[in-house]
Amino acid sequence: MTSATKVPDLYPSRVDPAPAIRERVDPVVYGDHDGPLNADQKAEFEKQGFLQVPDVLSGEEVDALLSELAEFTGRTEVKDDHRTVVEPASNEVRSLFEIHRTNRVLARLIADPRIAGVARQLLGSDVYVHQSRVNFKPAFKGKEFSWHSDFETWHTEDGMPRMRALSISVSLTYNYTFNGPLMLIPGSHKRYVTCVGETPEDNFLSSLKAQEIGTPDPDSLVTLLTEAGGKIAECTGGPGGITIFDCNAMHGSNSNISPVPRSNVFVVYNSVENALVEPFAAPSRRPEFIAARDFTPVE
Amino acid sequence: MTSATKVPDLYPSRVDPAPAIRERVDPVVYGDHDGPLNADQKAEFEKQGFLQVPDVLSGEEVDALLSELAEFTGRTEVKDDHRTVVEPASNEVRSLFEIHRTNRVLARLIADPRIAGVARQLLGSDVYVHQSRVNFKPAFKGKEFSWHSDFETWHTEDGMPRMRALSISVSLTYNYTFNGPLMLIPGSHKRYVTCVGETPEDNFLSSLKAQEIGTPDPDSLVTLLTEAGGKIAECTGGPGGITIFDCNAMHGSNSNISPVPRSNVFVVYNSVENALVEPFAAPSRRPEFIAARDFTPVE
């Protein structure tokens, strides 16, 4: 029995010849639960689609993570691993995927109640890790990443049925406006921009470096920006802070020509009640190091 | 008689096999002259190497310039002109060079005492236009431009003897931190970072799109940034404002993936007492639409 017969496609994309802006049919915050966030923080996340919380980790904790990562990325087997993504042209490490399975120190961080607890609180259930990675945006030559909604890809390519997932980015370095920080369009998470174009086989091999399919059209972006009053949010702040953003928040980042590199740990938590089915608009599943199918709750 | 026998090379670059950071031997502000800037503004320019002045042009004046440019860039002969630079890949107009000669409305702006008067005041003499252009940084796909000192190029490739020139950028649109604004390293204008590599023939054909030769090394940039207390200045502000920056200020810009385009008029004023000689480190002169040899003062 395929997912098509069981789970309705509430967010069709990559099927129609023209893009459209649809309404989100799912809540942003699932119920009213206790956890690390207070009521104001929950309300802000619901309204804006993202929330920054400074100083979640101490300086010592960040230093320990940086040391661990320096050692880890220096290993030949890690550099050669298929879960390691290198920067086009420069061959420098840009991302380490499935870090919750390959590194015990990072696995502990990802299960930390200060972080995973936020996901449980907002999604109103147990959560599992849909994807984890460490991102290194190098100084001088960090490349831009164009606007996208993660959910559009997770739905079409991974078979994630509903909007009941979120990302948490843990900063390991300083994020300034000038070193290519995460940018978001506030409120965009309540709209769903459908994309045009059919997903090619093995799309993930190129889309992790520079996304082409699953990219919203310029007119829709201008509409979202206009609805946001022309404001683009830039997630700046120090190491140890976290940024929580909804699975459907429109986001991207500019290049980093500055001498200041940017690194973060990035975790996608999905509700265990929203486990993946078959892709809604792709010829086959993406690999599990990008889209996990082990739905065991984070403890 | 070549320039080599007449004018000493006080700022050698592209000759040694290793980069170096040298001291500037020229003043930044030449004498104490009256003009559009007050004493505090002059002092800030001297110290930081740049200065922003908001609302120099009125909204009506900016609108008139934008209308003029829309009409002008729409002409086939302008798009096909060798002084028009297009964005690599997208074929959109990125720059119009020598605009003070090709367009009367822009010529009037460039001679406006509110703008040219600043150059005369700071450089302590009459000035002529070394280079003029309009820059269009498109929304969504504006590319980054890596760090460089303009003077390094004007000296080696154009034969500009001394640091007695400055650029004035007139904003025609809003400059935000997120749409690829001009970035500068404060105080960097008092250092001279020599570059490595020999200037190839016709270097300008590629360097206007993405500079490679004449690019400072990463270590020197980190040193300049450290001397600046880790601060990078981002020139944000509304249309009609101007940014004045010294010929030797280290600057660059990130990409613009945002839906907000950026346009400005950019003029390089050089002192008539600092007229060009032969290039100090290049096989031949650059074309006059990039490096003028008509030293007639701006009236």
Side-chain angles (χ1 to χ4, degrees), chain B residues 13 17 39 45 51 87 114 144 150 152 168 183-184 194 198 204-205 217 229:
Chain B
S13 184
F45 179 80
L51 176 72
E87 180 92 17
R114 295 171 293 176
E144 70 266 22
D150 288 328
E152 197 276 341
I168 299 185
M183 301 193 294
L184 297 129
T194 68
E198 214 170 295
F204 73 93
L205 290 175
D217 63 296

Coordinates of all heavy atoms in Angstrom, one line a residue, chain B residues 13 17 39 45 51 87 114 144 150 152 168 183-184 194 198 204-205 217 229:
Chain B
S13 N 53.4 47.1 -5.8 CA 52.6 45.9 -5.6 C 52.6 45.0 -6.8 O 53.1 45.5 -7.9 CB 51.1 46.4 -5.3 OG 50.3 45.3 -5.1
P17 N 57.2 38.3 -4.3 CA 56.5 37.0 -4.2 C 55.6 36.8 -3.0 O 54.8 35.9 -3.0 CB 57.7 36.0 -4.2 CG 58.9 36.8 -3.7 CD 58.7 38.2 -4.1
A39 N 33.7 70.1 10.5 CA 35.0 69.6 11.1 C 34.9 68.1 11.6 O 35.8 67.3 11.4 CB 35.5 70.5 12.2
F45 N 36.2 61.1 8.6 CA 36.7 60.5 7.3 C 38.2 60.2 7.4 O 38.6 59.2 7.0 CB 36.4 61.5 6.2 CG 36.9 61.0 4.9 CD1 36.2 60.1 4.1 CD2 38.2 61.5 4.4 CE1 36.7 59.7 2.9 CE2 38.6 61.0 3.1 CZ 37.9 60.1 2.4
L51 N 32.8 57.9 5.2 CA 31.9 58.8 5.8 C 30.5 58.7 5.1 O 30.5 58.7 3.9 CB 32.3 60.3 5.8 CG 31.4 61.3 6.4 CD1 31.4 61.2 7.9 CD2 31.9 62.7 5.9
E87 N 26.0 41.0 -15.7 CA 26.2 40.0 -14.7 C 26.6 38.7 -15.3 O 25.9 38.3 -16.3 CB 24.9 39.8 -13.9 CG 24.8 38.8 -12.8 CD 25.1 39.5 -11.5 OE1 25.1 40.7 -11.4 OE2 25.5 38.8 -10.5
R114 N 27.3 69.8 -4.1 CA 27.1 69.0 -2.9 C 27.9 67.7 -2.9 O 28.1 67.0 -1.9 CB 25.6 68.6 -2.8 CG 24.7 69.8 -2.6 CD 23.2 69.4 -2.7 NE 22.9 69.0 -4.0 CZ 21.7 68.6 -4.4 NH1 20.7 68.4 -3.5 NH2 21.4 68.2 -5.6
E144 N 28.6 38.5 -4.9 CA 29.5 39.2 -4.0 C 30.7 39.8 -4.8 O 31.0 39.4 -5.9 CB 30.1 38.2 -3.0 CG 31.0 37.1 -3.5 CD 30.3 35.8 -3.9 OE1 29.0 35.9 -4.1 OE2 30.9 34.8 -3.9
D150 N 40.8 50.0 -3.9 CA 40.8 50.5 -5.3 C 42.2 51.0 -5.7 O 42.6 50.9 -6.8 CB 39.8 51.6 -5.4 CG 38.3 51.1 -5.4 OD1 38.1 50.0 -5.8 OD2 37.5 51.8 -4.8
E152 N 45.1 50.2 -5.0 CA 46.1 49.2 -5.5 C 46.0 49.0 -7.0 O 47.0 48.9 -7.7 CB 45.9 47.9 -4.7 CG 47.1 46.9 -4.8 CD 47.1 46.0 -6.0 OE1 46.0 45.9 -6.7 OE2 48.1 45.5 -6.4
I168 N 32.8 58.5 -4.3 CA 31.5 58.9 -3.7 C 30.5 58.1 -4.3 O 30.3 58.0 -5.6 CB 31.2 60.4 -3.8 CG1 32.3 61.2 -3.1 CG2 29.9 60.8 -3.2 CD1 32.1 62.7 -3.1
M183 N 30.7 47.1 2.3 CA 31.3 46.8 3.6 C 32.8 47.4 3.5 O 33.5 47.3 2.5 CB 31.4 45.3 3.8 CG 30.0 44.7 3.8 SD 30.1 43.0 4.5 CE 31.1 42.2 3.3
L184 N 33.2 48.0 4.7 CA 34.5 48.5 4.8 C 35.2 48.1 6.1 O 34.5 47.9 7.1 CB 34.5 50.0 4.7 CG 33.9 50.7 3.5 CD1 32.9 51.7 3.9 CD2 35.1 51.4 2.8
T194 N 50.1 45.0 -0.1 CA 50.6 44.7 -1.4 C 50.1 43.4 -1.9 O 49.9 42.5 -1.1 CB 52.1 44.8 -1.5 OG1 52.6 43.7 -0.7 CG2 52.6 46.1 -0.9
E198 N 51.4 38.8 -11.2 CA 51.7 39.8 -12.2 C 50.4 40.1 -13.0 O 49.5 39.2 -13.2 CB 52.7 39.2 -13.2 CG 53.6 40.2 -13.8 CD 54.7 39.5 -14.6 OE1 55.5 38.8 -14.0 OE2 54.8 39.7 -15.8
F204 N 41.4 43.9 -17.0 CA 40.2 44.5 -16.7 C 38.9 43.8 -17.3 O 37.9 43.9 -16.7 CB 40.2 46.0 -17.3 CG 40.1 46.1 -18.8 CD1 38.8 46.3 -19.4 CD2 41.2 46.0 -19.6 CE1 38.7 46.4 -20.7 CE2 41.1 46.1 -20.9 CZ 39.8 46.3 -21.5
L205 N 39.1 43.0 -18.4 CA 38.0 42.3 -19.0 C 37.4 41.4 -18.0 O 36.1 41.2 -18.0 CB 38.4 41.6 -20.2 CG 38.8 42.5 -21.4 CD1 39.3 41.6 -22.6 CD2 37.5 43.3 -21.9
D217 N 45.7 39.1 0.4 CA 45.7 37.8 0.9 C 44.9 37.7 2.2 O 44.7 38.7 2.9 CB 47.2 37.4 1.2 CG 47.8 38.3 2.2 OD1 47.9 39.5 2.0 OD2 48.1 37.8 3.3
G229 N 39.5 46.2 15.6 CA 38.8 45.7 16.7 C 37.7 44.8 16.3 O 36.7 44.6 17.0

